[in-house]
Amino acid sequence: MAQGCRRRLLGPRRPRVRAVDECVASIGGFTMTEIDHIALSVASFARSKEFYETALAPLGIKVIIERAGSAGFGRAFPHFWIREGVGTFQSARQIEVITPAHVAFRAADRDQVVAFHQAALRAGGMDIGAPGPRPQYHPGYHGAFVADPDGHNIEAVVHGE
């Protein structure tokens, strides 16, 4: 296993437990494994699922789990989820609007950043940042940004030359 990687066991007490290698990317001392998963609310599950299947395919990300009105995407583990409609808090207070969020997916190289951007535009995304360097973030930052059908800012990024 590469340096900076660890094994993560999937599934509690299963007879055959699968394991996933998680590699740690460190930028300025912050490791990128603090977040286990993220979920976005979407207005139309079918429309958003189709968008994300197309946009994330160049990054090797696909649907891992699908349930009624929700889907978990990843390479081996569902770290990114979409779910239709508004959610509820424990207090049962309804969320009345879908607030756009920003999610960045790691790409293996600059070609994957370009392929993600092209696929996302074909899938109906809106260009909000063509593939290219973003030196204002840090040297070697190369990303592309699209707005998904609900206005979420979705990015593919590679760090380094």
Side-chain angles (χ1 to χ4, degrees), residues 64-142:
I64 303 291
I65 297 173
E66 185 172 349
R67 299 183 179 132
S70 69
F73 293 78
R75 292 182 182 94
F77 185 84
H79 293 289
F80 174 72
W81 287 81
I82 59 169
R83 62 176 177 238
E84 185 170 56
V86 295
T88 58
F89 292 107
Q90 288 180 341
S91 66
R93 183 175 64 91
Q94 287 285 340
I95 300 169
E96 296 180 11
V97 297
I98 295 175
T99 303
H102 173 69
V103 178
F105 293 92
R106 277 184 263 171
D109 54 37
R110 291 177 179 193
D111 289 341
Q112 275 194 351
V113 171
V114 171
F116 155 81
H117 189 256
Q118 292 171 345
L121 295 179
R122 279 194 315 273
M126 182 176 66
D127 178 16
I128 56 174
R134 302 294 192 283
Q136 67 271 31
Y137 301 148
H138 69 74
Y141 194 107
H142 192 90

